């Protein structure tokens, strides 16, 4: 089986499964993965400088001193280790830090370096200590290391900690909840890797216990994130209609609930999380796929509260939505979730990292105003930064891009479904194919069969919902579904998918007050943006208006590593007249700090 962050058990209630092999071989995503590989060693340097690794060494008895920073800092190390595992380029560092982590773990299985070094009582302030959050990221790193390398040293640390949690929490133990979900999904994956049913039982307990105010300190001041909604703890998951509160917490929790539903065949729970995803997609998701509207509490806003200039759109939240969408895709086989993964990868996750130099956005604004001034470290007005005092996002990007091949395709007992288009080799069972494409710049995708069984099998190609004029072997196919080819394939057979990449104008729901009268521009999977450096001299970005009646044209350029630019006309009645050049949103802020906007007024 292709190493993957989520591998449902044989008994899991899923329609699709991860493929047995997937490898990116060239093209767009090979370039981005190579840049990520170059960034991973820099992540180690930045973890050293920030003191994260020092905390673990002190807890391990390898160094002395005081712990630095908040108690969630171990999680950044674990996410970075997960990236190292998926990427496979630094095995010695994976082994070295595994030894330190092993030495840092207490005899009873507990592990949190800052709390141990400071002599604090474990679990004494779970609402904001992130102890189980750190445990969850440790478990995910351990599973990755085991699946990629076969070495179970880190997995032994994880199972000792998980056994400690199972002995400590649950109906017959401590009943308060961690303030920041992620442990739920991590426990399920640990169950999938080890077969230990206690981990699934504990995950199920954590899922069903949330929603009853157990993650908020009694008497906690509501003005300081004391509202249970901040912790996804106001409404039980089975009753909830929407996501609310802290966006990362909410989507991580929904991901864990989905994992529990899959492994326990809980139809009611799966229906609930699907309902919540649909509500989020229709009412609380930015055009880029990002989520989170409020800086206050890093939170979802109300329905249709999607201001582009104040969008929080945290990078970690987008990654959480991707993880959630992947599990819903496996559970249901619904290609709309693969559409979501494509949208998120190109427009909500990729923009968070620079094309070079490994700098990152924590917050992904959709409009940097002329004269914008940053007020806090994570403000995108500063541009991307090497690291943050709360550095959750950079190693999260690293682990996501390092594991990218696992999201390309799925398999069934007698078929292969290609979900994302990248130059790659893919295998599901005895059907192996090679994909050649220059997507997203070119819409032609050629799939060549390399190995095939002697019986009929199905090759399915996802047709994005925006691809209304797509063809497979010159025959029209329906958008928003799979083009399914069932037959006896022979090695050397070719299937050619042609996706239309004509630019298109997008409008928001009229209830989104902040973008009423505006359009966004997209081409294929990419959302585009205006950036000041591409416009005519003297033009103020906020003065520009796009003419929706005029044609939008394309040009292939060497700009920004080789991109397709779009060219539009300004609305003729407006005082500022200029041709407009748009670049893919993910490439903005790579040439210095300039004004930028995704939503463009038309009048």
């Amino acid at each position: 089986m292709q190493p993957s962050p989520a591998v449902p058990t044989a008994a899991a209630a899923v329609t699709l499964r991860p493929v047995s092999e997937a490898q990116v071989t060239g093209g767009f995503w090979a370039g981005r993965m190579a840049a990520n590989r170059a960034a991973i060693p820099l992540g180690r340097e930045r973890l050293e400088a920030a003191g994260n690794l020092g905390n673990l060494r002190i807890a391990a008895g390898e160094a002395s001193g005081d712990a630095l920073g908040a108690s969630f800092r171990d999680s950044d190390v674990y996410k970075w280790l997960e990236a190292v595992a998926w990427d496979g380029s630094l095995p010695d560092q994976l082994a070295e830090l595994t030894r330190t982590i092993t030495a840092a773990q207490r005899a009873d299985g507990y592990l949190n370096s800052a709390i141990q070094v400071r002599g604090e009582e474990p679990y004494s302030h779970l609402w904001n200590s992130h102890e189980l959050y750190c445990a969850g990221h440790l478990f995910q790193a351990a599973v990755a290391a085991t699946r990629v390398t076969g070495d179970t040293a880190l997995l032994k640390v994880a199972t000792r900690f998980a056994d400690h949690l199972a002995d400590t929490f649950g109906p017959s133990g401590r009943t308060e909840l961690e303030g920041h979900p992620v442990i739920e999904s991590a426990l399920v994956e640990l169950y999938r890797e080890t077969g230990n049913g206690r981990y699934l039982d504990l995950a199920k307990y954590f899922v069903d216990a949330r929603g009853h105010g157990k993650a908020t300190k009694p008497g906690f001041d509501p003005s300081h994130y004391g509202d249970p909604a901040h912790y996804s703890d106001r409404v039980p998951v089975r009753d909830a209609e929407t996501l609310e509160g802290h966006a990362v917490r909410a989507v991580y929790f929904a991901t864990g609930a989905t994992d529990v539903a899959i492994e326990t065949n809980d139809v009611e729970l799966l229906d609930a999380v699907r309902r919540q995803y649909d509500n989020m997609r229709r009412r609380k998701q930015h055009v880029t796929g990002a989520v989170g509207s409020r800086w206050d509490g890093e939170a979802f806003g109300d329905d249709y509260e999607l201001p582009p200039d104040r969008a929080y759109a945290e990078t970690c939240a987008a990654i959480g939505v991707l993880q959630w969408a992947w599990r819903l895709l496996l559970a249901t086989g619904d290609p709309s979730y693969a559409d979501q993964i494509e949208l998120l990868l190109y427009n909500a996750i990729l923009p968070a990292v620079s094309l070079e130099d490994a700098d990152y956005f924590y917050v992904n604004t959709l409009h940097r105003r002329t004269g914008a001034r940053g007020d806090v470290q994570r403000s995108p007005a500063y541009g991307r930064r090497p690291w943050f005092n709360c550095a959750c996002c950079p190693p999260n990007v690293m682990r996501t891009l390092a594991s990218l091949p696992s999201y390309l395709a799925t398999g069934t007992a007698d078929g292969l479904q290609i979900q994302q288009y990248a130059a790659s080799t893919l295998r599901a069972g005895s059907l192996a194919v090679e994909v050649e494409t220059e997507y997203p710049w070119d819409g032609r995708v050629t799939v060549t069969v390399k190995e095939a069984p002697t019986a009929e099998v199905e090759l399915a190609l996802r047709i994005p919902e925006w691809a209304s004029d797509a063809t497979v072997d010159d025959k029209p196919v329906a958008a928003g579904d799979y083009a399914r080819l069932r037959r006896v394939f022979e090695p050397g057979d070719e299937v050619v998918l042609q996706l239309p990449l004509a630019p298109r104008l997008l409008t928001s729901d009229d209830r989104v007050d902040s973008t009423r009268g505006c359009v966004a521009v997209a081409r294929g999977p990419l959302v585009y943006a205006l950036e000041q450096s591409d416009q005519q001299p003297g033009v103020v970005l906020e003065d520009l208006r796009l003419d929706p009646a005029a044609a939008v044209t394309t040009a292939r350029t060497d700009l920004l590593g080789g991109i397709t630019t779009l060219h539009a006309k300004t609305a003729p009645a407006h005082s500022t007249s200029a041709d407009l050049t748009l670049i893919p949103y993910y490439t903005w802020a790579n040439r210095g700090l300039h004004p930028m906007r995704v939503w463009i007024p038309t009048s």
Side-chain angles (χ1 to χ4, degrees), residues 263-485:
E263 292 297 343
T264 61
N265 195 16
D266 190 329
V267 176
E268 178 193 45
L269 182 56
L270 183 64
D271 286 346
V273 292
R274 292 194 72 184
R275 177 176 71 243
Q276 293 154 28
Y277 196 106
D278 184 61
N279 182 292
M280 178 197 72
R281 178 168 46 193
R282 291 183 295 107
R283 301 180 180 191
K284 294 190 174 185
Q285 189 174 45
H286 296 280
V287 68
T288 57
V291 296
S293 299
R294 296 181 181 177
W295 283 66
D296 185 23
E298 300 182 316
F300 281 103
D302 296 326
D303 288 354
Y304 308 108
E305 182 187 343
L306 295 165
D309 53 348
R310 292 296 296 166
Y312 198 73
E314 183 179 339
T315 299
C316 285
I319 290 170
V321 177
L322 180 144
Q323 294 171 348
W324 186 18
W326 175 248
R327 287 156 173 81
L328 288 172
L329 173 64
L330 296 180
T332 67
D334 184 341
S336 69
Y337 297 117
D339 284 348
Q340 279 278 294
I341 290 169
E342 179 177 74
L343 176 69
L344 289 155
L345 281 171
Y346 283 107
N347 305 294
I349 297 169
L350 199 55
V353 59
S354 58
L355 298 178
E356 299 176 352
D357 302 325
D359 292 330
Y360 299 88
F361 279 135
Y362 191 118
V363 174
N364 294 276
T365 187
L366 276 68
H367 183 182
R368 185 184 189 275
R369 290 185 176 275
T370 301
R373 183 184 65 84
D375 50 4
V376 294
Q377 189 197 41
R378 64 189 182 275
S379 172
Y382 288 121
R384 297 180 184 86
R385 302 176 70 89
W387 214 244
F388 300 90
N389 50 21
C390 174
C392 51
C393 296
N396 218 355
V397 172
M398 291 176 190
R399 69 170 180 153
T400 302
L401 294 181
S403 63
L404 178 73
S406 64
Y407 297 105
L408 295 181
T410 54
T412 53
D414 65 344
L416 168 67
Q417 304 82 41
I418 302 180
Q419 306 288 0
Q420 305 302 328
Y421 296 112
S424 56
T425 55
L426 307 168
R427 176 188 291 273
S430 54
L431 178 60
V433 303
E434 180 181 49
V435 181
E436 296 178 299
T437 184
E438 292 300 318
Y439 192 77
W441 313 122
D442 189 292
R444 182 182 176 88
V445 181
T446 302
V447 181
T448 303
V449 176
K450 308 307 282 186
E451 296 179 33
T454 56
E456 278 192 353
V457 290
E458 182 179 87
L459 175 64
L461 308 179
R462 177 183 61 91
I463 311 302
E465 57 189 355
W466 48 260
S468 57
D469 296 318
T471 62
V472 171
D473 292 339
D474 297 323
K475 297 178 181 178
V477 289
D481 204 346
Y482 293 105
R484 301 180 183 273
L485 293 81

Side-chain angles (χ1 to χ4, degrees), residues 73-94:
R73 284 200 168 194
D74 287 357
S75 67
D76 299 334
V77 177
Y78 301 146
K79 280 181 281 189
W80 181 81
L81 278 177
E82 186 181 347
V84 169
W86 294 128
D87 185 74
S89 60
L90 299 171
D92 292 345
Q93 295 194 29
L94 176 60

